[in-house]
Amino acid sequence: MPPAPAPPSQRSWEIDAARGLMLLLMTVTHLPTRLTSPLGQPFGYVSAAEGFVLLSAYMAGMVYGRVAWRKSVAEMHHAFWRRALKIYACHAALLLFLFTVIAFIGIRIEQPAVVDLLNFYVRQPFTALVGGLLLLYEPPLLDILPLYVLFMLASPWVMVLAFVWGWRLVMLVSGLVWLAAQFGLSHGVYDSINALVPLPVPFNETGAFVMWSWQFLWMLGLWMGATRNDPNAPAFAFPRWSVLLAIALAIFLMGWRHLVGQIPFHADGPYAPFNPWFDKWALGPMRMVNLFALVVLAIHYGPRLAARMPRQRWLETLGSASLPVFCAHLVLVLVVLVGLGAKYDRPWLQDIALLAASFGVLYAVARATLWLERHQKEDTTPPAVLAPGQKRPPMYPPTPARTAMQPAAQDPPRAKPIPG
């Protein structure tokens, strides 16, 4: 993450590359291969999901916060809602694909991996379909996009509150909600709603991710991204002692994870009660400590590494089209599960071929998405009106045109919008 404010019209290629890396790690984690376990949570007790959500929130805060700075708060609301609608449409399409193609084939051939995935749908298909479209029923693998929809809908209101009251109050409230989620807030909210309006979807089918915990991660990224649009915003900086502490924690937790495994304490051991502290779904306290340590190191050392390392443009391409690539990776995982099952003992050559083919498909999806977006912008741009006697400029200028990955000239700072 860049330590200095980004120009309002500049796209952060470092963030795109990092998101592309998170997408690849999620693909490796979800595809059943011999690399699933070794590359799951490779940096400690933190998965690619945390990094992807944090980076996506950062980009949302920076991009849509820029809309509020340059245009108006109303335009920011509309931009968030349009994105939420697009994400919902992707979720609905994936849900229908799962309930039709995957369900038909998987149940017909009695594929255990698919039957287990669709256990509730098999028992109550109509309730599952309606509940899925209402974001109540969230089957495995399809339980993160509903979070994105809800976070996108809530984000403009949160940013307006931050404009008025400041981000400290927002983050304080968000942190308290995360703390309450560690003590069963999610189940309590479900029981309260169920007492008023009986819910047809049981609690264990409402998704593995605890929304009340993950909202803190989203708010953190939203705050970090939104503040980058202020020309007077100070750079993200940390005292030396905090960087040294982050290094020690990151090395210790990464070594622990790879020596012991993804579950820090044996289920039958005396320290098993401490496993929830590392829980992924509720973002346990030690998991947040591990994540904060990595964030500090990424902010502190990231710009230096980015300046010295060659740009990985293929990762930038994946990150630039993150939503279509994310959806494509879920389609690939579902197809592999219905065709090959959840087998992790295939020959290495087959696993490598499967991963290589999957990465190739994701890259092709990203390239096609960016090509379509570029041509749609060109098609919707109205032609310039020429004055009498004026000649139309040449189609191909003598200097290379700026690409989507190259920074544009910095726009002059705009006045801070008045909420309302």
Side-chain angles (χ1 to χ4, degrees), residues 47 78 99 104 122 127 140 162 189 219 224 244 327 346 364 373:
S47 70
H78 293 317
F99 290 164
F104 175 78
V122 172
T127 301
V189 171
M219 296 305 166
M224 295 175 69
L244 296 177
C327 295
R346 286 186 297 269
E373 290 179 351

Side-chain angles (χ1 to χ4, degrees), residues 182-183 256 263-279 284-286:
Q182 306 305 308
F183 296 94
W256 186 359
I263 300 177
F265 299 106
H266 195 276
D268 298 328
Y271 299 105
F274 290 100
N275 279 330
W277 287 51
F278 297 82
D279 185 61
M286 285 305 300

Side-chain angles (χ1 to χ4, degrees), residues 13 168 302 347:
W13 65 265
R168 289 185 179 180

